[in-house]
Structures are given as structure tokens and as C-alpha cells.
Amino acid sequence: MTIRRQHVENGGLILFLMLITVALLLVVSGFIGALLWAMLAALLFQPIFQRFARRWPGRRNIAAALTLLVITVAVVIPAMILASVVVDQAAGVYQQMRGGQIDFATYFKQMHDALPGRLQQWLDSAGLSSLERAQARVTATLSNSASTLTRQALSIGANAAAFLLAFGVGLYVTFFLLRDGEQIGTAVVRALPLEHSVATRLAEKFVAVVRATIKGSGVVALVQGALGAVTFWIVGLPAALLWGVLMAVAALLPAVGPAIIWGPVAAYLLATGAVWQAAVVIGSGVFVIGLADNVLRPMLVGRDTGLPDWLVLVTTLGGIDLLGLSGIVVGPVVGALFLTGWAILSEQRDENLLRCDGGPEE
């Protein structure tokens, strides 16, 4: 009877923990994104905090405050400045499209006329010789862009207070995660209902993938985006910074990469007779932007991130579709923990089979 009662009590405790965990997630659901990025920032900048903590032993509050200052100066302020410039350039491009300075129909015609004869005949047979269908699609795209931009602007204005609140909460939580991160991580690993070795391995994999995604993919994408922006500025393309940001986003996808941006740009430049500009874009894309990943990623996170490229692509795209910007990190982390969990299960099963096979001999 005592054992049965103990099982009932343990089951009741587990049920209570599940319900209260769900309730807590519902309560803080409005700040999930802020809490996630606070945790990521604390993990990424933990070495800087440890350096400050060693310099001022016993003054962890000062070390955490200085680390938060580094985060603000090195990440937050430049990101805000970059975002404002990109928004201005995007608005300028949109106004040029509406005013006729940027005429995609004309660009399509120039590229059509520069194509080989057989390809022109194929386009003509498809009904694209007069560009009426292309012009209709451009008009529809512009209309959709206008409505989308209007909705986004209204959304940003309506949610400005909520954004500032979430941003403040994120910085506030980052301070405490920096200061108490080691104790919190140890307590979480100890509380997991898993073997200590398994829980420790999963935690180490989580930290490694987070740092690999941010330091490897994130930093490399920023560098490739910056190189792309400089390249586009050299050849005289408008809104070079905007295209550089798009290239940085594309660089997060391993199977696609920044070539999805600079490739069509180079093709357009070739089709319109801008040969040296196209040569600069192609040369920079292949020998500068393309090699940046091969040079920087091993220096930042090592050569083996533990995830195949196809899984990184699928989990990144799926994470972005599900969670937005946070999915860039969450998606690969889920994929890595999935592989690690199954690897641990396979190892334990093999160990059990070896014990069973070796039992009679002993």
C-alpha cells in the first residue's frame, strides 16, 4: 500500500509540474521571443562576463552590467542604425517603383532583347514577347507590396509600446542570466528527468549548436552581406545596403546562399550590357563572398558543427516559418537535439545488447 501511495504521489507531482509549466508558458507567452533572445545573448556573451568576473571577483553585478553595456554598444545600437538605414532605402526604392524611375517592364524588355534567338522565340510562343503578362504581374506585385507595407507600418506603430516593453524585459532578463547563468544551467540539468550523463550531453549539445548558429552562421552571414553591399555600391546599384541585408538573410541558408541575390543581379547586368559591372559582381561573388564562409566558419566554430547541411536548411526554413526570426536559431537546435537524442538511444541499446550477449560467457 505504501509503494502504491508513493507512485500515486509521484504521478500527482508530475501532473502538477506539467500543468504549472503549461500555465507559466501561457503567462509569459507575450515575452517568449524576448526571453529566447535574452538566453541566446547570455550564452554567447558568457565568456566576456567570465573575463569581467575574474577581473573583479565577488562583483558579479558589475561584471554583468559591463557585459550588458558591451552587448548594447556592439550589437543593439548598430542593429538599430542599420535597420533605420535599410528601412529608408526600402522606402526609397518603393517610391521609385511607384514614380516610374524603376521600371521592371523596361528591364524585362532589355533582358528579353539580350537573350539568344531561340530563347526569345520560346518566350514569344509563351505570350511574353509584348511583356503584357510580365507587366500585369509587376502591377500586381506593386499593389501587394503597397498593401503589405501599409499593414506593416500600421502594425509597427500600434505595437511600438509592446516592442519597447519586450525589449526592456529582454535586457533585464539578460542581466540576470549573465550573472546567474551557471547556477541556473546546473539546476536545470540536475532537475531533468534523465540520467545525469544524458542530460549533460544534451545540454552541451544545446550550447554548442546555439553558439555555432550565432557565431558561425550569423557572423558569416553578416560578413557576406557586408561584402555584397560593398560590391553593389562599387558597381553603382541603388540601395546597396538593402541588397546586402537580403544577401545576409540568404546566406543563412546553406543550400542557397548569397548567390541567389548576386546571381540574378549579375545576369541582369550582363543582359543590359554592363559587362565590367557584371564581371565585378561575379568575381566578388565567387572569390570573395563565396570564400568568406570557408575561411571564417572554421575559425569561429570549427569544421564539424554536427549537423548535415540538408538538415540545417530544412530546420532553418521550418523554424522561420513557425517562429519568425527566432526560428533561425530554434530550428537547428531542435534538429541537433533530435539527432543527439536518437544517437544516445542507439548507444544505450547497443550497450544493452552487448551486456546480454556477454552475460552467459561471464
Side-chain angles (χ1 to χ4, degrees):
M1 182 65 70
T2 303
I3 296 177
R4 182 178 180 183
R5 180 177 180 181
Q6 184 178 2
H7 287 169
V8 172
E9 290 175 350
N10 290 338
L13 177 59
I14 293 175
L15 179 61
F16 168 77
L17 289 176
M18 293 175 60
L19 293 176
I20 201 63
T21 301
V22 173
L24 179 63
L25 291 175
L26 292 176
V27 169
V28 302
S29 60
F31 299 99
I32 288 294
L35 296 176
L36 173 64
W37 285 102
M39 179 187 65
L40 298 179
L43 284 175
L44 187 62
F45 288 90
Q46 187 66 213
I48 297 178
F49 166 78
Q50 294 296 339
R51 185 175 300 178
F52 286 139
R54 287 193 296 268
R55 182 180 292 272
W56 292 287
R59 298 183 177 181
R60 298 178 68 85
N61 286 332
I62 295 178
L66 289 175
T67 308
L68 198 62
L69 180 62
V70 171
I71 295 173
T72 303
V73 174
V75 178
V76 175
I77 294 177
M80 288 184 172
I81 295 174
L82 178 64
S84 63
V85 175
V86 169
V87 169
D88 289 341
Q89 289 195 357
V93 170
Y94 176 68
Q95 291 298 328
Q96 290 179 350
M97 291 167 59
R98 294 195 61 182
Q101 292 91 342
I102 297 180
D103 188 357
F104 283 106
T106 302
Y107 299 156
F108 290 154
K109 180 171 176 53
Q110 292 174 344
M111 295 185 68
H112 175 272
D113 295 340
L115 292 174
R118 288 189 177 182
L119 189 55
Q120 288 187 26
Q121 293 176 1
W122 179 82
L123 291 176
D124 295 343
S125 63
L128 296 177
S129 58
S130 63
L131 298 176
E132 293 178 356
R133 191 174 303 176
Q135 290 175 349
R137 291 179 180 178
V138 169
T139 302
T141 301
L142 291 178
S143 301
N144 293 332
S145 301
S147 60
T148 301
L149 289 174
T150 302
R151 288 196 303 269
Q152 291 294 331
L154 293 176
S155 176
I156 293 173
N159 297 326
F163 171 79
L164 292 176
L165 178 61
F167 183 75
V169 169
L171 289 179
Y172 185 74
V173 173
T174 302
F175 173 85
F176 290 100
L177 290 179
L178 286 168
R179 191 190 67 178
D180 306 323
E182 292 178 285
Q183 294 85 347
I184 295 174
T186 303
V188 169
V189 170
R190 188 173 62 249
L192 289 174
L194 300 169
E195 294 181 11
H196 181 71
S197 59
V198 174
T200 302
R201 185 172 172 181
L202 290 175
E204 291 175 351
K205 190 65 175 180
F206 171 79
V207 174
V209 173
V210 167
R211 288 179 174 170
T213 302
I214 298 177
K215 290 174 61 179
S217 301
V219 173
V220 171
L222 290 176
V223 171
Q224 290 181 313
L227 293 173
V230 171
T231 301
F232 291 158
W233 175 77
I234 291 175
V235 300
L237 289 175
L241 188 59
L242 173 62
W243 293 110
V245 170
L246 294 177
M247 189 177 294
V249 174
L252 295 171
L253 307 176
V256 180
I260 195 175
I261 302 297
W262 64 259
V265 171
Y268 165 74
L269 291 174
L270 281 174
T272 54
V275 178
W276 75 265
Q277 292 94 331
V280 169
V281 171
I282 294 174
S284 177
V286 174
F287 298 107
V288 180
I289 300 173
L291 293 180
D293 181 82
N294 297 329
V295 174
L296 293 178
R297 194 179 298 274
M299 296 171 55
L300 292 172
V301 296
R303 296 184 180 275
D304 186 12
T305 60
L307 283 178
D309 285 344
W310 68 266
L311 185 59
V312 175
L313 173 65
V314 173
T315 54
T316 301
L317 291 176
I320 293 174
D321 181 63
L322 183 64
L323 301 172
L325 184 62
S326 301
I328 294 174
V329 178
V330 175
V333 166
V334 171
L337 294 179
F338 173 83
L339 292 182
T340 304
W342 279 101
I344 293 173
L345 180 62
S346 299
E347 292 170 4
Q348 291 181 344
R349 184 185 60 184
D350 293 340
E351 292 177 0
N352 292 333
L353 290 175
L354 288 175
R355 291 173 185 172
C356 294
D357 294 340
E361 297 179 1
E362 296 178 358

